[in-house]
Amino acid sequence: VDEAEFLAGYDPTAYPRPALTVDLVLFGLREGRPAALLLRRNQHPHLGRWALPGGFVGIDEDLDAAATRVLRDKADIPHAHLEQLYTFGAIGRDPRARIVTVAYLALLPESAFAEAPERGLVAAAIEVPWAGEAGGPVTALSPKGETLPLAFDHAEILAMAVLRLRGKLDYSEVAFALLPDLFTLRQLQDVHEAILGTPLNKPAFRRRMLDRGWLDPTGRHEAGTSFRPAELYRLRRPR
Amino acid sequence: VDEAEFLAGYDPTAYPRPALTVDLVLFGLREGRPAALLLRRNQHPHLGRWALPGGFVGIDEDLDAAATRVLRDKADIPHAHLEQLYTFGAIGRDPRARIVTVAYLALLPESAFAEAPERGLVAAAIEVPWAGEAGGPVTALSPKGETLPLAFDHAEILAMAVLRLRGKLDYSEVAFALLPDLFTLRQLQDVHEAILGTPLNKPAFRRRMLDRGWLDPTGRHEAGTSFRPAELYRLRRPR
DNA sequence: GCAATAGTGTCTATCAGACAATATAGC
DNA sequence: GCTATATTGTCTGATAGACACTATTGC
């Protein structure tokens, strides 16, 4: 059996093989809520539904390179924190053909997020029911609050993205990828609260973050507030 | 561009596509140390090196189903805790052709582990250098202590498996998948210490595990010791 | 001075590590 | 009783939540 499979590895017509794509969860915060950039499908199947940007993996292209290419070409974003999320390969997930997709998570600061609508992308708020730790199926909402029907298994992929972020939030630097270079402790706390979906204790959060030693105070302060301005911090590099 | 890719999804000859496989990390403990079942390659490339059992994903086969099939057919193990680990798709990872592999982690109790050698599988101890949290490249050792050269990028896959286990150890039930149905608290602690590669405080570990409420005492005790026998516990189901 | 938020101090409950004391099996 | 390990108790230091207090800005 192994010999046949070996040959099938050389000859693409010996056995039919699944097609391989990457799909990107372009994740960020929109008005303090989890959000992702979605693309409206203008073809069958799932015409009119909303989908993650994606593309086929080239025969001479790394998976990470394919994800970077999709980020650049379909979302016009030159650079972002990118990490592989999970690979989805259920039989019926695409009605056209057998397509296995490697989902990637891209983390965008709110600024990059704001420029997106010109490309036909919509910044959809992602509602994650708390659903007892596991996180249920998500719903996507347009900026006006309408529910956006999702294509394929993309609701499942979005749910996985939020769960992954929750898990990595407090031992990794993912939160900082969602913030500008300079940020206040309040902004950092807002990011944590948005992803966890639960309020946090302010003094405890401050203590934890400062004791961690990842933050450098800049001595500068935010401007334009009508109240006491908060100090701006920067992520210490390299970590 | 999208239209061309759409058609390529239907017609396998329009664009060449990567082949897709699953590879399994059959993980367990051998004499209190992390170990995995490896298969000696009897073909080029990497003839004589040691590899994870794997196989091509059928066109009508779920990824999980492919992993289950490999577990059954190549390792003769009817059932195990299986979870997707990561997808490896670097360009040169297989010199024959472009092959992308979805790595799975299978967790075996030591009993299933002991029966393996008949299938040509070797239970290799996995040495993970501590390497400051990140875990460096692993080395595999035969039961006699010889270093086993690994095929393809399988050292990287094994390293990822151990890192994943470390991360999930204390909020998931992966440790129990490595133990028999009835086990003592000492055995549970040994599993944790083996995976973390560091000793743990005994009273604190007991308290933590018992307070968690996952364990049911059975009232029964281990036998055959020449000292005080420990109580046997069972994982409470369902979690 | 007022409003609003930043930032700090203190008290308490919880949890982990250290260490020692007690319990129980075979011999 | 002796040995080896299981199991429990206690002390202590670190950490998180609750809550109140002080600081600073624009107006």
mmCIF file of all heavy atoms in Angstrom, chain A residues 2-3 5-6 9-10 17 43 56 58-62 74 84 86-87 90-91 96 98, chain B residues 2-3 5-6 10 17 43 56 58-62 74 84 86-87 90-91 96-98:
data_model
loop_
_atom_site.group_PDB
_atom_site.id
_atom_site.type_symbol
_atom_site.label_atom_id
_atom_site.label_comp_id
_atom_site.label_asym_id
_atom_site.label_seq_id
_atom_site.Cartn_x
_atom_site.Cartn_y
_atom_site.Cartn_z
ATOM 1 N N ASP A 2 2.001 1.127 0.694
ATOM 2 C CA ASP A 2 2.860 2.290 0.813
ATOM 3 C C ASP A 2 3.478 2.649 -0.535
ATOM 4 O O ASP A 2 3.648 3.813 -0.850
ATOM 5 C CB ASP A 2 3.964 1.993 1.832
ATOM 6 C CG ASP A 2 4.185 3.167 2.747
ATOM 7 O OD1 ASP A 2 4.841 4.116 2.312
ATOM 8 O OD2 ASP A 2 3.655 3.139 3.867
ATOM 9 N N GLU A 3 3.771 1.629 -1.313
ATOM 10 C CA GLU A 3 4.380 1.869 -2.619
ATOM 11 C C GLU A 3 3.420 2.630 -3.539
ATOM 12 O O GLU A 3 3.814 3.581 -4.226
ATOM 13 C CB GLU A 3 4.751 0.524 -3.260
ATOM 14 C CG GLU A 3 5.613 0.630 -4.500
ATOM 15 C CD GLU A 3 6.992 1.210 -4.188
ATOM 16 O OE1 GLU A 3 7.433 1.095 -3.035
ATOM 17 O OE2 GLU A 3 7.595 1.824 -5.095
ATOM 18 N N GLU A 5 1.031 4.594 -2.637
ATOM 19 C CA GLU A 5 0.898 5.970 -2.167
ATOM 20 C C GLU A 5 2.135 6.787 -2.527
ATOM 21 O O GLU A 5 2.044 7.954 -2.864
ATOM 22 C CB GLU A 5 0.701 5.986 -0.647
ATOM 23 C CG GLU A 5 -0.690 5.541 -0.243
ATOM 24 C CD GLU A 5 -0.797 5.301 1.249
ATOM 25 O OE1 GLU A 5 0.266 5.273 1.913
ATOM 26 O OE2 GLU A 5 -1.925 5.139 1.729
ATOM 27 N N PHE A 6 3.248 6.131 -2.470
ATOM 28 C CA PHE A 6 4.500 6.787 -2.864
ATOM 29 C C PHE A 6 4.396 7.288 -4.295
ATOM 30 O O PHE A 6 4.680 8.444 -4.601
ATOM 31 C CB PHE A 6 5.633 5.774 -2.719
ATOM 32 C CG PHE A 6 6.981 6.294 -3.128
ATOM 33 C CD1 PHE A 6 7.836 6.833 -2.175
ATOM 34 C CD2 PHE A 6 7.402 6.234 -4.442
ATOM 35 C CE1 PHE A 6 9.076 7.305 -2.545
ATOM 36 C CE2 PHE A 6 8.636 6.713 -4.810
ATOM 37 C CZ PHE A 6 9.481 7.251 -3.853
ATOM 38 N N GLY A 9 2.183 10.099 -4.844
ATOM 39 C CA GLY A 9 2.807 11.355 -4.473
ATOM 40 C C GLY A 9 3.489 12.018 -5.654
ATOM 41 O O GLY A 9 3.601 13.238 -5.719
ATOM 42 N N TYR A 10 3.938 11.207 -6.608
ATOM 43 C CA TYR A 10 4.573 11.781 -7.793
ATOM 44 C C TYR A 10 3.563 12.121 -8.878
ATOM 45 O O TYR A 10 3.684 13.122 -9.550
ATOM 46 C CB TYR A 10 5.575 10.774 -8.370
ATOM 47 C CG TYR A 10 6.879 10.740 -7.650
ATOM 48 C CD1 TYR A 10 7.227 9.653 -6.877
ATOM 49 C CD2 TYR A 10 7.764 11.804 -7.736
ATOM 50 C CE1 TYR A 10 8.431 9.610 -6.212
ATOM 51 C CE2 TYR A 10 8.959 11.782 -7.072
ATOM 52 C CZ TYR A 10 9.304 10.684 -6.312
ATOM 53 O OH TYR A 10 10.487 10.652 -5.652
ATOM 54 N N ARG A 17 -6.638 14.147 -5.395
ATOM 55 C CA ARG A 17 -6.212 14.684 -4.100
ATOM 56 C C ARG A 17 -6.992 15.953 -3.792
ATOM 57 O O ARG A 17 -7.419 16.678 -4.693
ATOM 58 C CB ARG A 17 -4.715 14.970 -4.111
ATOM 59 C CG ARG A 17 -4.239 15.712 -5.349
ATOM 60 C CD ARG A 17 -2.792 16.140 -5.220
ATOM 61 N NE ARG A 17 -1.856 15.065 -5.455
ATOM 62 C CZ ARG A 17 -0.561 15.261 -5.743
ATOM 63 N NH1 ARG A 17 -0.081 16.492 -5.837
ATOM 64 N NH2 ARG A 17 0.246 14.252 -5.923
ATOM 65 N N GLN A 43 -20.111 35.129 -6.163
ATOM 66 C CA GLN A 43 -20.258 33.948 -7.008
ATOM 67 C C GLN A 43 -20.945 32.855 -6.207
ATOM 68 O O GLN A 43 -20.927 32.877 -4.984
ATOM 69 C CB GLN A 43 -18.896 33.394 -7.427
ATOM 70 C CG GLN A 43 -18.019 34.335 -8.213
ATOM 71 C CD GLN A 43 -16.674 33.704 -8.497
ATOM 72 O OE1 GLN A 43 -16.429 32.552 -8.147
ATOM 73 N NE2 GLN A 43 -15.792 34.470 -9.115
ATOM 74 N N PHE A 56 -5.891 29.746 -3.038
ATOM 75 C CA PHE A 56 -5.253 28.440 -3.176
ATOM 76 C C PHE A 56 -3.771 28.531 -2.859
ATOM 77 O O PHE A 56 -3.139 29.570 -3.073
ATOM 78 C CB PHE A 56 -5.455 27.907 -4.596
ATOM 79 C CG PHE A 56 -6.863 27.442 -4.831
ATOM 80 C CD1 PHE A 56 -7.851 28.329 -5.240
ATOM 81 C CD2 PHE A 56 -7.201 26.115 -4.610
ATOM 82 C CE1 PHE A 56 -9.157 27.899 -5.432
ATOM 83 C CE2 PHE A 56 -8.506 25.684 -4.808
ATOM 84 C CZ PHE A 56 -9.489 26.579 -5.213
ATOM 85 N N GLY A 58 -0.133 27.755 -3.701
ATOM 86 C CA GLY A 58 0.639 27.436 -4.900
ATOM 87 C C GLY A 58 1.535 26.229 -4.676
ATOM 88 O O GLY A 58 1.913 25.915 -3.534
ATOM 89 N N ILE A 59 1.874 25.572 -5.770
ATOM 90 C CA ILE A 59 2.660 24.333 -5.655
ATOM 91 C C ILE A 59 4.070 24.623 -5.147
ATOM 92 O O ILE A 59 4.708 23.768 -4.544
ATOM 93 C CB ILE A 59 2.706 23.607 -7.023
ATOM 94 C CG1 ILE A 59 3.325 22.221 -6.894
ATOM 95 C CG2 ILE A 59 3.488 24.417 -8.047
ATOM 96 C CD1 ILE A 59 2.461 21.233 -6.193
ATOM 97 N N ASP A 60 4.534 25.833 -5.333
ATOM 98 C CA ASP A 60 5.874 26.195 -4.855
ATOM 99 C C ASP A 60 5.804 27.288 -3.812
ATOM 100 O O ASP A 60 6.662 28.178 -3.755
ATOM 101 C CB ASP A 60 6.751 26.656 -6.027
ATOM 102 C CG ASP A 60 7.231 25.473 -6.841
ATOM 103 O OD1 ASP A 60 7.592 24.449 -6.213
ATOM 104 O OD2 ASP A 60 7.220 25.562 -8.075
ATOM 105 N N GLU A 61 4.786 27.224 -2.998
ATOM 106 C CA GLU A 61 4.545 28.302 -2.047
ATOM 107 C C GLU A 61 4.373 27.705 -0.648
ATOM 108 O O GLU A 61 3.546 26.818 -0.443
ATOM 109 C CB GLU A 61 3.273 29.049 -2.464
ATOM 110 C CG GLU A 61 3.004 30.319 -1.698
ATOM 111 C CD GLU A 61 1.737 31.005 -2.207
ATOM 112 O OE1 GLU A 61 0.736 30.304 -2.463
ATOM 113 O OE2 GLU A 61 1.750 32.222 -2.327
ATOM 114 N N ASP A 62 5.152 28.206 0.293
ATOM 115 C CA ASP A 62 4.960 27.847 1.696
ATOM 116 C C ASP A 62 3.550 28.207 2.151
ATOM 117 O O ASP A 62 2.955 29.143 1.623
ATOM 118 C CB ASP A 62 5.924 28.651 2.584
ATOM 119 C CG ASP A 62 7.238 27.942 2.777
ATOM 120 O OD1 ASP A 62 7.330 26.766 2.414
ATOM 121 O OD2 ASP A 62 8.166 28.579 3.292
ATOM 122 N N LYS A 74 -5.517 40.399 -1.167
ATOM 123 C CA LYS A 74 -6.964 40.470 -1.000
ATOM 124 C C LYS A 74 -7.382 41.512 0.021
ATOM 125 O O LYS A 74 -8.517 41.976 0.009
ATOM 126 C CB LYS A 74 -7.519 39.100 -0.584
ATOM 127 C CG LYS A 74 -7.168 38.007 -1.570
ATOM 128 C CD LYS A 74 -8.370 37.302 -2.134
ATOM 129 C CE LYS A 74 -7.944 36.481 -3.331
ATOM 130 N NZ LYS A 74 -8.762 35.291 -3.560
ATOM 131 N N GLN A 84 -0.645 30.412 12.281
ATOM 132 C CA GLN A 84 -1.534 29.349 11.825
ATOM 133 C C GLN A 84 -2.511 28.982 12.923
ATOM 134 O O GLN A 84 -2.145 28.902 14.099
ATOM 135 C CB GLN A 84 -0.718 28.126 11.417
ATOM 136 C CG GLN A 84 -1.564 27.060 10.728
ATOM 137 C CD GLN A 84 -0.785 25.791 10.444
ATOM 138 O OE1 GLN A 84 0.258 25.821 9.802
ATOM 139 N NE2 GLN A 84 -1.277 24.681 10.935
ATOM 140 N N TYR A 86 -5.682 26.552 12.487
ATOM 141 C CA TYR A 86 -6.184 25.180 12.496
ATOM 142 C C TYR A 86 -6.465 24.825 11.048
ATOM 143 O O TYR A 86 -6.666 25.711 10.213
ATOM 144 C CB TYR A 86 -7.473 25.089 13.313
ATOM 145 C CG TYR A 86 -7.888 23.699 13.702
ATOM 146 C CD1 TYR A 86 -7.290 23.059 14.781
ATOM 147 C CD2 TYR A 86 -8.878 23.023 12.989
ATOM 148 C CE1 TYR A 86 -7.670 21.780 15.144
ATOM 149 C CE2 TYR A 86 -9.265 21.744 13.358
ATOM 150 C CZ TYR A 86 -8.653 21.131 14.439
ATOM 151 O OH TYR A 86 -9.030 19.852 14.800
ATOM 152 N N THR A 87 -6.515 23.539 10.773
ATOM 153 C CA THR A 87 -6.797 23.100 9.405
ATOM 154 C C THR A 87 -8.153 22.425 9.353
ATOM 155 O O THR A 87 -8.427 21.507 10.134
ATOM 156 C CB THR A 87 -5.688 22.162 8.916
ATOM 157 O OG1 THR A 87 -4.458 22.888 8.913
ATOM 158 C CG2 THR A 87 -5.980 21.665 7.518
ATOM 159 N N ALA A 90 -13.351 19.042 6.628
ATOM 160 C CA ALA A 90 -14.547 18.195 6.588
ATOM 161 C C ALA A 90 -14.976 17.977 5.143
ATOM 162 O O ALA A 90 -14.776 18.849 4.279
ATOM 163 C CB ALA A 90 -15.672 18.835 7.392
ATOM 164 N N ILE A 91 -15.566 16.830 4.899
ATOM 165 C CA ILE A 91 -15.900 16.433 3.526
ATOM 166 C C ILE A 91 -16.761 17.475 2.820
ATOM 167 O O ILE A 91 -16.453 17.913 1.729
ATOM 168 C CB ILE A 91 -16.639 15.079 3.545
ATOM 169 C CG1 ILE A 91 -15.681 13.983 3.980
ATOM 170 C CG2 ILE A 91 -17.212 14.756 2.170
ATOM 171 C CD1 ILE A 91 -14.585 13.746 2.995
ATOM 172 N N ARG A 96 -18.385 22.671 -3.972
ATOM 173 C CA ARG A 96 -17.823 22.518 -5.306
ATOM 174 C C ARG A 96 -16.941 21.298 -5.412
ATOM 175 O O ARG A 96 -16.961 20.554 -6.388
ATOM 176 C CB ARG A 96 -16.961 23.745 -5.651
ATOM 177 C CG ARG A 96 -17.734 24.989 -5.951
ATOM 178 C CD ARG A 96 -16.785 26.162 -6.050
ATOM 179 N NE ARG A 96 -16.177 26.483 -4.772
ATOM 180 C CZ ARG A 96 -15.326 27.489 -4.589
ATOM 181 N NH1 ARG A 96 -14.959 28.244 -5.604
ATOM 182 N NH2 ARG A 96 -14.835 27.734 -3.392
ATOM 183 N N ARG A 98 -13.637 18.921 -3.038
ATOM 184 C CA ARG A 98 -12.960 18.669 -1.779
ATOM 185 C C ARG A 98 -11.845 19.687 -1.601
ATOM 186 O O ARG A 98 -10.827 19.641 -2.305
ATOM 187 C CB ARG A 98 -12.364 17.257 -1.770
ATOM 188 C CG ARG A 98 -11.634 16.933 -0.478
ATOM 189 C CD ARG A 98 -12.628 16.704 0.647
ATOM 190 N NE ARG A 98 -12.031 16.828 1.985
ATOM 191 C CZ ARG A 98 -11.195 15.952 2.528
ATOM 192 N NH1 ARG A 98 -10.834 14.883 1.866
ATOM 193 N NH2 ARG A 98 -10.719 16.145 3.743
ATOM 194 N N ASP B 2 -9.814 35.156 -9.355
ATOM 195 C CA ASP B 2 -10.622 34.284 -8.546
ATOM 196 C C ASP B 2 -11.309 33.217 -9.401
ATOM 197 O O ASP B 2 -11.469 32.078 -8.989
ATOM 198 C CB ASP B 2 -11.675 35.100 -7.791
ATOM 199 C CG ASP B 2 -11.791 34.650 -6.360
ATOM 200 O OD1 ASP B 2 -12.451 33.643 -6.155
ATOM 201 O OD2 ASP B 2 -11.188 35.297 -5.485
ATOM 202 N N GLU B 3 -11.697 33.631 -10.610
ATOM 203 C CA GLU B 3 -12.378 32.698 -11.499
ATOM 204 C C GLU B 3 -11.449 31.545 -11.887
ATOM 205 O O GLU B 3 -11.853 30.379 -11.888
ATOM 206 C CB GLU B 3 -12.850 33.447 -12.757
ATOM 207 C CG GLU B 3 -13.778 32.652 -13.654
ATOM 208 C CD GLU B 3 -15.108 32.377 -12.990
ATOM 209 O OE1 GLU B 3 -15.484 33.145 -12.094
ATOM 210 O OE2 GLU B 3 -15.749 31.372 -13.339
ATOM 211 N N GLU B 5 -8.967 30.411 -10.191
ATOM 212 C CA GLU B 5 -8.771 29.530 -9.035
ATOM 213 C C GLU B 5 -9.999 28.664 -8.799
ATOM 214 O O GLU B 5 -9.904 27.508 -8.424
ATOM 215 C CB GLU B 5 -8.485 30.372 -7.785
ATOM 216 C CG GLU B 5 -7.096 30.969 -7.802
ATOM 217 C CD GLU B 5 -6.905 31.991 -6.706
ATOM 218 O OE1 GLU B 5 -7.918 32.377 -6.090
ATOM 219 O OE2 GLU B 5 -5.762 32.393 -6.469
ATOM 220 N N PHE B 6 -11.146 29.259 -9.054
ATOM 221 C CA PHE B 6 -12.398 28.513 -8.940
ATOM 222 C C PHE B 6 -12.361 27.290 -9.847
ATOM 223 O O PHE B 6 -12.630 26.169 -9.440
ATOM 224 C CB PHE B 6 -13.550 29.443 -9.322
ATOM 225 C CG PHE B 6 -14.898 28.813 -9.282
ATOM 226 C CD1 PHE B 6 -15.679 28.926 -8.141
ATOM 227 C CD2 PHE B 6 -15.397 28.120 -10.375
ATOM 228 C CE1 PHE B 6 -16.937 28.350 -8.102
ATOM 229 C CE2 PHE B 6 -16.650 27.537 -10.323
ATOM 230 C CZ PHE B 6 -17.419 27.654 -9.190
ATOM 231 N N TYR B 10 -11.907 22.741 -9.568
ATOM 232 C CA TYR B 10 -12.616 21.625 -10.199
ATOM 233 C C TYR B 10 -11.678 20.718 -10.974
ATOM 234 O O TYR B 10 -11.801 19.509 -10.970
ATOM 235 C CB TYR B 10 -13.676 22.165 -11.163
ATOM 236 C CG TYR B 10 -14.930 22.608 -10.491
ATOM 237 C CD1 TYR B 10 -15.259 23.949 -10.412
ATOM 238 C CD2 TYR B 10 -15.786 21.680 -9.932
ATOM 239 C CE1 TYR B 10 -16.414 24.355 -9.793
ATOM 240 C CE2 TYR B 10 -16.939 22.078 -9.303
ATOM 241 C CZ TYR B 10 -17.269 23.422 -9.233
ATOM 242 O OH TYR B 10 -18.402 23.815 -8.612
ATOM 243 N N ARG B 17 -1.293 20.858 -7.638
ATOM 244 C CA ARG B 17 -1.608 21.131 -6.239
ATOM 245 C C ARG B 17 -0.778 20.245 -5.338
ATOM 246 O O ARG B 17 -0.392 19.139 -5.703
ATOM 247 C CB ARG B 17 -3.095 20.910 -5.977
ATOM 248 C CG ARG B 17 -3.632 19.638 -6.564
ATOM 249 C CD ARG B 17 -5.056 19.380 -6.135
ATOM 250 N NE ARG B 17 -6.036 20.153 -6.869
ATOM 251 C CZ ARG B 17 -7.332 19.853 -6.901
ATOM 252 N NH1 ARG B 17 -7.791 18.787 -6.256
ATOM 253 N NH2 ARG B 17 -8.183 20.599 -7.572
ATOM 254 N N GLN B 43 12.561 2.734 2.568
ATOM 255 C CA GLN B 43 12.620 3.240 1.198
ATOM 256 C C GLN B 43 13.345 4.577 1.213
ATOM 257 O O GLN B 43 13.410 5.248 2.242
ATOM 258 C CB GLN B 43 11.213 3.504 0.645
ATOM 259 C CG GLN B 43 10.306 2.307 0.571
ATOM 260 C CD GLN B 43 8.928 2.695 0.064
ATOM 261 O OE1 GLN B 43 8.703 3.850 -0.282
ATOM 262 N NE2 GLN B 43 8.024 1.742 0.038
ATOM 263 N N PHE B 56 -1.563 9.242 3.083
ATOM 264 C CA PHE B 56 -2.233 10.256 2.273
ATOM 265 C C PHE B 56 -3.694 10.382 2.687
ATOM 266 O O PHE B 56 -4.318 9.411 3.104
ATOM 267 C CB PHE B 56 -2.124 9.904 0.792
ATOM 268 C CG PHE B 56 -0.748 10.139 0.246
ATOM 269 C CD1 PHE B 56 0.232 9.154 0.341
ATOM 270 C CD2 PHE B 56 -0.425 11.353 -0.322
ATOM 271 C CE1 PHE B 56 1.513 9.378 -0.142
ATOM 272 C CE2 PHE B 56 0.855 11.583 -0.812
ATOM 273 C CZ PHE B 56 1.821 10.600 -0.719
ATOM 274 N N GLY B 58 -7.394 10.619 1.794
ATOM 275 C CA GLY B 58 -8.244 10.241 0.673
ATOM 276 C C GLY B 58 -9.146 11.383 0.243
ATOM 277 O O GLY B 58 -9.455 12.284 1.032
ATOM 278 N N ILE B 59 -9.563 11.345 -1.006
ATOM 279 C CA ILE B 59 -10.359 12.435 -1.547
ATOM 280 C C ILE B 59 -11.725 12.513 -0.867
ATOM 281 O O ILE B 59 -12.341 13.572 -0.800
ATOM 282 C CB ILE B 59 -10.512 12.270 -3.081
ATOM 283 C CG1 ILE B 59 -11.149 13.509 -3.711
ATOM 284 C CG2 ILE B 59 -11.330 11.038 -3.415
ATOM 285 C CD1 ILE B 59 -10.249 14.705 -3.742
ATOM 286 N N ASP B 60 -12.190 11.408 -0.330
ATOM 287 C CA ASP B 60 -13.483 11.406 0.355
ATOM 288 C C ASP B 60 -13.318 11.081 1.826
ATOM 289 O O ASP B 60 -14.165 10.406 2.426
ATOM 290 C CB ASP B 60 -14.420 10.386 -0.297
ATOM 291 C CG ASP B 60 -14.982 10.913 -1.604
ATOM 292 O OD1 ASP B 60 -15.320 12.123 -1.646
ATOM 293 O OD2 ASP B 60 -15.070 10.149 -2.568
ATOM 294 N N GLU B 61 -12.266 11.562 2.388
ATOM 295 C CA GLU B 61 -11.941 11.194 3.760
ATOM 296 C C GLU B 61 -11.687 12.455 4.583
ATOM 297 O O GLU B 61 -10.862 13.294 4.205
ATOM 298 C CB GLU B 61 -10.694 10.306 3.745
ATOM 299 C CG GLU B 61 -10.332 9.696 5.073
ATOM 300 C CD GLU B 61 -9.086 8.815 4.966
ATOM 301 O OE1 GLU B 61 -8.112 9.232 4.300
ATOM 302 O OE2 GLU B 61 -9.093 7.730 5.542
ATOM 303 N N ASP B 62 -12.393 12.603 5.684
ATOM 304 C CA ASP B 62 -12.110 13.680 6.636
ATOM 305 C C ASP B 62 -10.672 13.594 7.125
ATOM 306 O O ASP B 62 -10.101 12.504 7.171
ATOM 307 C CB ASP B 62 -12.997 13.527 7.884
ATOM 308 C CG ASP B 62 -14.316 14.242 7.730
ATOM 309 O OD1 ASP B 62 -14.465 15.011 6.770
ATOM 310 O OD2 ASP B 62 -15.179 14.012 8.579
ATOM 311 N N LYS B 74 -1.598 1.463 10.598
ATOM 312 C CA LYS B 74 -0.135 1.463 10.672
ATOM 313 C C LYS B 74 0.371 1.172 12.076
ATOM 314 O O LYS B 74 1.508 0.765 12.246
ATOM 315 C CB LYS B 74 0.415 2.817 10.216
ATOM 316 C CG LYS B 74 -0.028 3.177 8.814
ATOM 317 C CD LYS B 74 1.118 3.423 7.884
ATOM 318 C CE LYS B 74 0.598 3.456 6.457
ATOM 319 N NZ LYS B 74 1.374 4.332 5.568
ATOM 320 N N GLN B 84 -5.780 17.340 16.432
ATOM 321 C CA GLN B 84 -4.943 17.942 15.407
ATOM 322 C C GLN B 84 -3.908 18.833 16.057
ATOM 323 O O GLN B 84 -4.212 19.568 17.011
ATOM 324 C CB GLN B 84 -5.803 18.748 14.440
ATOM 325 C CG GLN B 84 -5.035 19.219 13.223
ATOM 326 C CD GLN B 84 -5.855 20.141 12.337
ATOM 327 O OE1 GLN B 84 -6.930 19.762 11.876
ATOM 328 N NE2 GLN B 84 -5.367 21.329 12.101
ATOM 329 N N TYR B 86 -0.823 20.570 14.151
ATOM 330 C CA TYR B 86 -0.342 21.694 13.350
ATOM 331 C C TYR B 86 -0.162 21.172 11.933
ATOM 332 O O TYR B 86 -0.013 19.972 11.726
ATOM 333 C CB TYR B 86 1.002 22.191 13.897
ATOM 334 C CG TYR B 86 1.413 23.560 13.422
ATOM 335 C CD1 TYR B 86 0.883 24.699 14.001
ATOM 336 C CD2 TYR B 86 2.334 23.708 12.394
ATOM 337 C CE1 TYR B 86 1.255 25.953 13.565
ATOM 338 C CE2 TYR B 86 2.718 24.960 11.954
ATOM 339 C CZ TYR B 86 2.179 26.080 12.545
ATOM 340 O OH TYR B 86 2.551 27.342 12.118
ATOM 341 N N THR B 87 -0.139 22.087 10.983
ATOM 342 C CA THR B 87 0.037 21.674 9.593
ATOM 343 C C THR B 87 1.372 22.177 9.082
ATOM 344 O O THR B 87 1.675 23.367 9.201
ATOM 345 C CB THR B 87 -1.127 22.198 8.743
ATOM 346 O OG1 THR B 87 -2.328 21.603 9.231
ATOM 347 C CG2 THR B 87 -0.944 21.821 7.285
ATOM 348 N N ALA B 90 6.294 23.369 4.599
ATOM 349 C CA ALA B 90 7.472 24.019 4.018
ATOM 350 C C ALA B 90 7.803 23.383 2.671
ATOM 351 O O ALA B 90 7.549 22.191 2.457
ATOM 352 C CB ALA B 90 8.659 23.907 4.966
ATOM 353 N N ILE B 91 8.366 24.183 1.786
ATOM 354 C CA ILE B 91 8.601 23.728 0.413
ATOM 355 C C ILE B 91 9.435 22.452 0.345
ATOM 356 O O ILE B 91 9.052 21.489 -0.295
ATOM 357 C CB ILE B 91 9.317 24.846 -0.383
ATOM 358 C CG1 ILE B 91 8.372 26.028 -0.568
ATOM 359 C CG2 ILE B 91 9.789 24.347 -1.727
ATOM 360 C CD1 ILE B 91 7.211 25.702 -1.443
ATOM 361 N N ARG B 96 10.720 14.339 -2.461
ATOM 362 C CA ARG B 96 10.071 13.725 -3.614
ATOM 363 C C ARG B 96 9.155 14.701 -4.329
ATOM 364 O O ARG B 96 9.109 14.791 -5.540
ATOM 365 C CB ARG B 96 9.205 12.543 -3.167
ATOM 366 C CG ARG B 96 9.985 11.328 -2.775
ATOM 367 C CD ARG B 96 9.076 10.311 -2.138
ATOM 368 N NE ARG B 96 8.556 10.774 -0.856
ATOM 369 C CZ ARG B 96 7.746 10.060 -0.090
ATOM 370 N NH1 ARG B 96 7.335 8.878 -0.474
ATOM 371 N NH2 ARG B 96 7.343 10.537 1.065
ATOM 372 N N ALA B 97 8.373 15.423 -3.536
ATOM 373 C CA ALA B 97 7.308 16.231 -4.125
ATOM 374 C C ALA B 97 6.823 17.204 -3.079
ATOM 375 O O ALA B 97 7.241 17.157 -1.920
ATOM 376 C CB ALA B 97 6.163 15.338 -4.585
ATOM 377 N N ARG B 98 5.943 18.076 -3.475
ATOM 378 C CA ARG B 98 5.349 19.005 -2.529
ATOM 379 C C ARG B 98 4.277 18.276 -1.742
ATOM 380 O O ARG B 98 3.215 17.940 -2.268
ATOM 381 C CB ARG B 98 4.728 20.186 -3.264
ATOM 382 C CG ARG B 98 4.089 21.189 -2.322
ATOM 383 C CD ARG B 98 5.159 21.994 -1.591
ATOM 384 N NE ARG B 98 4.659 22.656 -0.384
ATOM 385 C CZ ARG B 98 3.843 23.711 -0.376
ATOM 386 N NH1 ARG B 98 3.419 24.231 -1.511
ATOM 387 N NH2 ARG B 98 3.445 24.241 0.766
#
